[in-house]
Amino acid sequence: MKAWDRALIGPEATYRDALVSIDTTGAGMALIVDGERRLLGVLSDGDLRRALIRGAGLEDTALTGANREPFCIDQHQDRAATLTMLRAHGLRQLPVLDAGRRVVGLTTVSDFLNIPIRSSPVVIMAGGKGERLAELTRDTPKPMLKVGPRPILDTIVGNLAGQGFRNFWLAVNYKADQIERHFGDGSALGLDIRYLREEKPLGTCGALALLPSQAEPVVVTNGDILAKVDYGHVLDSHVEAEADATVVVREYEMQVPFGVVNAAEGRILRIDEKPTQTFTISAGAYVLSPGALARVPTDAYCDMPTLIADLIAAGRPVRQQRAEGYWMDIGRPPDYAQANADFGAVFEG
């Protein structure tokens, strides 16, 4: 929400002050903060009406009728998770806080109705053979396998288009004709879709060398990832951080199916039965600035970890951005089956 700071009122503010704030901003909520902008409570228009019905006067202190434990979001929470929270709790607005509980924004439902058109291009890596899926990809490229009622690549493109992206490059190799026939130039979808045609497999980022010179950061994602990622938020954070590369990461849990023995000097200290280990993994999505793209070798095989390692070795700024929400790599048959089972509830529910 623009001009969100007009929704801030102090701890001594009255119900009249809150009413004026709500009327001025149209946000439907006044945020009561201390001198450091730390949130003390919120007063929605509904809270205000209920207080007045109970007999509160307009000159009474608004904090007495405020919600002291409102739903809030962290400033780094992505757009998809925020929308899910608004829907789940039937909310119209959410205060945005930093780590010190200082108010740094106010998100409202209307923020999701006006999506900016983004000029930054998106590259989707859709050239792999999908050999782990065996018979499923014998006649169909992996990105064209159906998850739910449509190919996974349709869902990926649709999600990004819904976030304001209009310019797409699809890196293709294996059975590329199927992908190109399906999407064409994108005009039927209101998009501009072009192709990076690999004459030979170039790895998970080698095809980026085929891009024309770019003046803006490029969003890159794998063509076999079904995920709820707010790519616009990732892109904005990347630009704000002045990074060369942003790697989208998430938590991945793996349970050891045995008792793990902890010992020292031959003595068993304890046995942890089937412990779960948590790792931070790459989610298969990135933002790369023009300087990073320039490091991709021409007409040579290159994987994304190699490019990231090169940037780090050169002292270039490489950052991570955590993504919450649904994520599934459909590269293995069990994961492909699970994605189909999840699709309706996650993407159409």
Side-chain angles (χ1 to χ4, degrees):
M1 173 186 169
K2 294 181 179 179
W4 58 267
D5 53 339
R6 295 181 184 176
L8 303 179
I9 59 176
E12 304 302 322
T14 65
Y15 283 111
R16 185 185 299 277
D17 296 326
L19 184 61
V20 170
S21 173
I22 291 172
D23 183 63
T24 300
T25 64
M29 175 179 284
L31 309 179
I32 305 172
V33 298
D34 65 14
E36 301 297 323
R37 285 194 172 183
R38 284 186 290 266
L39 187 66
L40 302 176
V42 303
L43 195 73
S44 68
D45 50 5
D47 295 329
L48 180 56
R49 286 195 302 272
R50 285 187 288 272
L52 296 177
I53 289 172
R54 289 195 302 267
L58 286 175
E59 304 308 321
D60 291 345
T61 303
L63 190 56
T64 59
N67 178 0
R68 302 293 189 98
E69 297 184 356
F71 288 104
C72 300
I73 57 172
D74 178 82
Q75 62 179 331
H76 300 299
Q77 181 162 305
D78 66 35
R79 187 180 180 88
T82 299
L83 182 57
T84 296
M85 191 170 178
L86 287 165
R87 286 173 170 169
H89 299 287
L91 304 172
R92 291 188 296 153
Q93 58 280 107
L94 283 166
V96 184
L97 308 183
D98 67 10
R101 285 193 60 79
R102 289 178 289 269
V103 179
V104 294
L106 179 63
T107 292
T108 67
V109 170
S110 62
D111 293 334
F112 293 86
L113 302 179
N114 301 309
I115 300 172
I117 300 302
R118 296 184 176 273
S119 57
S120 287
V122 175
V123 177
I124 302 176
M125 296 298 177
K129 289 186 176 181
E131 292 176 338
R132 290 179 298 169
L133 292 173
E135 292 299 316
L136 290 172
T137 54
R138 178 183 296 277
D139 300 314
T140 305
K142 182 165 58 170
M144 293 302 291
L145 291 176
K146 285 191 174 182
V147 177
R150 54 186 175 270
I152 185 173
L153 196 52
D154 267 1
T155 298
I156 294 172
V157 170
N159 284 346
L160 283 153
Q163 295 177 27
F165 293 94
R166 294 293 180 268
N167 302 313
F168 290 81
W169 292 87
L170 305 185
V172 294
N173 176 249
Y174 179 66
K175 298 191 179 297
D177 57 314
Q178 293 187 33
I179 296 174
E180 295 191 32
R181 282 200 306 270
H182 183 79
F183 287 99
D185 63 3
S187 57
L189 301 171
L191 307 175
D192 179 12
I193 297 179
R194 287 169 284 179
Y195 299 89
L196 304 175
R197 298 178 177 89
E198 303 178 20
E199 298 301 325
K200 59 184 179 181
L202 295 176
T204 54
C205 79
L208 295 174
L210 301 174
L211 275 173
S213 178
Q214 298 294 317
E216 297 183 73
V218 174
V219 175
V220 182
T221 184
N222 294 344
D224 58 357
I225 300 294
L226 195 63
K228 287 277 194 176
V229 174
D230 185 348
Y231 294 97
H233 178 58
V234 176
L235 176 62
D236 291 341
S237 299
H238 171 92
V239 171
E240 183 179 353
E242 299 182 346
D244 265 22
T246 292
V247 180
V248 179
V249 302
R250 62 175 290 108
E251 299 300 307
Y252 182 80
E253 292 186 349
M254 179 179 295
Q255 186 176 43
V256 179
F258 309 103
V260 174
V261 176
N262 288 270
E265 299 179 355
R267 296 185 61 186
I268 293 179
L269 303 178
R270 70 178 187 276
I271 298 177
D272 297 327
E273 185 62 25
K274 298 180 180 178
T276 297
Q277 293 183 316
T278 302
F279 304 91
T280 298
I281 64 167
S282 168
Y286 313 86
V287 179
L288 300 176
S289 291
L293 293 170
R295 290 179 173 271
V296 180
T298 302
D299 196 33
Y301 189 95
C302 183
D303 277 331
M304 190 64 76
T306 302
L307 175 62
I308 297 300
D310 177 56
L311 290 167
I312 293 171
R316 303 306 303 162
V318 176
R319 61 185 291 275
Q320 69 174 19
Q321 183 148 342
R322 198 168 302 276
E324 307 296 339
Y326 186 84
W327 181 90
M328 183 67 72
D329 178 338
I330 68 160
R332 302 181 308 152
D335 297 329
Y336 176 63
Q338 186 62 54
N340 270 287
D342 296 340
F343 186 87
V346 174
F347 290 91
E348 296 184 340

